Amino acid sequence: MTAHVDVLDLMSRLKAAEEPFVLATVVRTVSVTAAKAGAKAIIRPNGRIEAGWIGGGCARGATLKAALDALADGQSRLVSIQPENLLKELGVKPGEDREGINFARNMCPSRGTMDIFVEPVLPKPVLVVLGSSPVAQALVEQARPLGYHVTLAAPLSHFDMMPEADDLVDGFALDTTYQTRRFVIVSTQGKGDEAALRAAVAIEAEYHGFVGSRRKMASLREKLTAQGVSAERVDRVKAPAGLDIGAITPEEIALSILAEITIERRRGQRGIHQPATEKV
């Protein structure tokens, strides 16, 4: 089996297991380089190259740094590794970014140039929905086509038909050790509000939302903090969840919430400033 096949096989297995990795691909070489255009390697979060080949020490350091940065922010990168004299001709310094290219110095005697595309492959972000309300069910239906791994938590006896979530939890006892990005919505609407909100704030997430009024959220905050739940954690919850689009139906409310979550999910990925969602 060739190294190229090994890379493809490992990619398939890591994707199926929803484990993060980086695919590094040599896209251009000039002069003498160890690896040639088309060479690929898989890099894991611990910095280890699990399969493939992208060259020796001349390319490894800059590529590994770019790979770890890509895993951290989810952004692809193009790394151009060039000898110092060529960098000077271009007027760039090692480590500088210009027009989407990160430049690095090749200190090997070969003095070759390699351009390497570094692409993070991350697990789907997790949308955790607590509750069996019509809005909760609409969230499940709308989120999966948008690329979320959806966990739905509620007493299963509350459902007439089982929703098509990726994971179903009977009740609100959730695993809080997710290894990917998380967004959490409480949409119990009178059925287990307090228990669901307590479970929700125990999860570290980029967004917490509550489907309900500010007044109801204030009442729940008072109860939870009286029971010893951190006020700081409760205050992270946006209530009411969602953008103000004049939503009325459960489907429209779910749409407004997913739109707000999309702002958080894509923050910084389009190169423009996006205002933070208001936390109440």
Side-chain angles (χ1 to χ4, degrees):
M1 181 178 293
T2 66
H4 182 65
V5 174
D6 283 340
V7 167
L8 296 179
D9 179 62
L10 183 56
M11 281 181 60
S12 179
R13 288 191 281 115
L14 291 175
K15 282 185 175 182
E18 292 200 27
E19 294 188 27
F21 65 94
V22 162
L23 176 64
T25 304
V26 179
V27 295
R28 184 181 77 105
T29 63
V30 179
S31 188
V32 179
T33 58
K36 301 302 178 184
K40 302 181 190 302
I42 288 178
I43 302 169
R44 300 301 304 279
N46 61 4
R48 176 175 176 147
I49 296 177
E50 292 285 350
W53 166 253
I54 50 169
C58 302
R60 181 183 293 262
T63 304
L64 291 182
K65 181 182 184 304
L68 296 178
D69 289 344
L71 285 170
D73 64 17
Q75 300 298 301
S76 298
R77 287 162 166 75
L78 181 62
V79 182
S80 186
I81 303 168
Q82 303 188 26
E84 189 168 12
N85 65 306
L86 294 183
L87 294 178
K88 287 182 178 179
E89 289 180 14
L90 292 172
V92 297
K93 298 178 180 178
E96 184 176 341
D97 289 297
R98 181 180 293 183
E99 297 180 347
I101 303 173
N102 178 260
F103 290 92
R105 179 170 53 190
N106 183 356
M107 301 182 65
C108 290
S110 64
R111 300 174 65 81
T113 292
M114 294 179 66
D115 291 346
I116 302 175
F117 186 66
V118 175
E119 178 185 7
V121 181
L122 302 171
K124 291 180 181 180
V126 173
L127 179 68
V128 181
V129 181
L130 298 97
S132 57
S133 69
V135 172
Q137 297 184 57
L139 281 167
V140 172
E141 293 173 3
Q142 293 179 24
R144 294 184 75 206
L146 295 177
Y148 292 92
H149 181 103
V150 181
T151 295
L152 178 62
L156 298 185
S157 60
H158 290 180
F159 297 102
D160 295 327
M161 296 180 59
M162 289 297 102
E164 294 186 1
D166 296 292
D167 296 315
L168 278 171
V169 178
D170 188 3
F172 303 121
L174 286 162
D175 179 1
T176 61
T177 59
Y178 297 102
Q179 298 299 310
T180 185
R181 303 179 71 185
R182 297 165 297 279
F183 306 88
V184 181
I185 294 292
V186 176
S187 185
T188 40
Q189 294 181 278
K191 294 183 177 180
D193 296 339
E194 191 176 323
L197 189 57
R198 185 186 297 107
V201 298
I203 301 172
E204 292 296 334
E206 295 179 37
Y207 176 94
H208 291 84
F210 178 78
V211 181
S213 68
R214 288 180 175 86
R215 180 177 295 179
K216 187 173 186 179
M217 183 66 203
S219 174
L220 287 167
R221 179 188 188 279
E222 185 177 350
K223 291 179 181 178
L224 290 177
T225 54
Q227 296 167 15
V229 177
S230 164
E232 181 182 358
R233 283 186 171 271
V234 180
D235 289 341
R236 297 175 188 173
V237 181
K238 168 78 184 311
L243 300 178
D244 184 2
I245 62 172
I248 295 175
T249 68
E251 291 76 17
E252 290 170 348
I253 295 170
L255 175 64
S256 76
I257 293 168
L258 288 170
E260 188 167 58
I261 288 174
T262 298
I263 293 174
E264 297 297 328
R265 179 182 177 183
R266 299 303 185 190
R267 186 176 303 283
Q269 293 186 11
R270 297 183 62 187
I272 59 175
H273 172 72
Q274 294 167 312
T277 55
E278 181 185 359
K279 298 291 181 73
V280 179

